[in-house]
């Protein structure tokens, strides 16, 4: 059992996720989370000043789940085309895993995400910024044609929405999803390449 | 006023749309539609054997609204790149107009569409087939690199989902929507072109 003095933010966020999964975002309360941890709700509030702050933190953690892997690919030194492909495939795999393995939690997070547009906007900007870094590398390497990097990054992200935007999650379990991803990637790669 | 003997399917579909807009898909009945037309519900059933058949016909008509313009562009003889651009822009404009001008009716149709997956699948296949025709023309014209036409058409359609799939309609009123469309188009055009 967790005691009040050893309680970490990470433990609270994990318990919050369990509670959200069980009760849904409308009904989950801080008291439920404290009860699941065997601590007072004051102990939870010591780390998160409000229910809103806790919801935002748990959503942020969920959005960031694939971030570490993506950030690592962004700063690698290898050829940009291979890295951009791996970056997009990693994002698709992470999103698909979350959607298919735990559809109820996925739906719960989609509700939260719908209420936290500034958190989501920041998340999307981070991702688009990572694509921009890789495209910039590709231009330096002579692999990609010179172009406005920010515009191209945004275009790549939007053109692959089918494979990472949760609004498309119903299509991710189809037998052609991987094939479709590769076909879009191939088109984009040709579009980025120098003649 | 409409009389039973002069009643056309088109009049029924228009009245059905009005009734759907007013009552929503759950509550709209054939009796409401007949009342709006001033005819007996038997007259409606003479043209559409069931409420399900009527719902499907009205949804089909809604899906097909941009079809004529798109089909015309498909069979033109001009350069494929310009035609493909105009085809995609026309589709985006038609979808956006429907979503923004009458959001309640749009939401109603989205509900119907969700229940009629085979109607939607046929609609999407028609659209992808039109893209394939234009890409094939582009290969013949030496504008596009040789490729598997069906795969490329599907990839173009999916890569532009952001600009025609109703799940993205909330993003269509943003100030950058047109700019974003052109950026994705530019990337795809480069991807299709021969070196």
């Amino acid at each position: 059992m967790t005691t009040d003095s050893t309680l970490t933010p990470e433990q609270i966020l994990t318990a919050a996720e369990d509670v959200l999964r069980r009760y849904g975002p409308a009904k989950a309360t801080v008291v439920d989370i404290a009860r699941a941890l065997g601590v007072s709700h004051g102990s939870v509030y010591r780390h998160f000043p409000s229910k809103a702050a806790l919801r935002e933190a748990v959503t942020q953690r969920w959005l960031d789940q694939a971030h570490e892997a993506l950030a690592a690919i962004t700063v690698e030194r290898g050829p940009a085309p291979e890295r951009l492909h791996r970056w997009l495939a990693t994002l698709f795999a992470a999103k698909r895993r979350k959607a298919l393995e735990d559809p109820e939690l996925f739906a719960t997070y989609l509700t939260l995400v719908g209420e936290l547009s500034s958190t989501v906007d920041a998340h999307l900007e981070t991702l688009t910024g990572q694509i921009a870094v890789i495209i910039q590398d590709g231009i330096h390497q002579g692999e990609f044609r010179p172009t406005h990097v920010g515009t191209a990054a945004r275009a790549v992200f939007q053109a692959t929405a089918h494979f990472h935007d949760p609004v498309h999650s119903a299509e991710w379990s189809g037998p052609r999803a991987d094939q479709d991803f590769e076909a879009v990637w191939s088109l984009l790669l040709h579009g980025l390449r120098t003649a």
Side-chain angles (χ1 to χ4, degrees), chain A residues 27 46 75 80 100 106 112 149 151 155 170:
Chain A
K27 288 188 188 158
R46 207 167 302 136
V75 299
L100 301 185
F106 192 74
L112 289 176
V149 171
T151 303

Side-chain angles (χ1 to χ4, degrees), chain A residues 14 22 38 63 65 87 94 102-103 108 127 156 161 163 170:
Chain A
T14 300
R22 248 182 299 155
L63 288 170
Q65 257 162 21
W87 190 96
D102 200 341
T108 291
L127 293 181
V156 167
F163 308 101

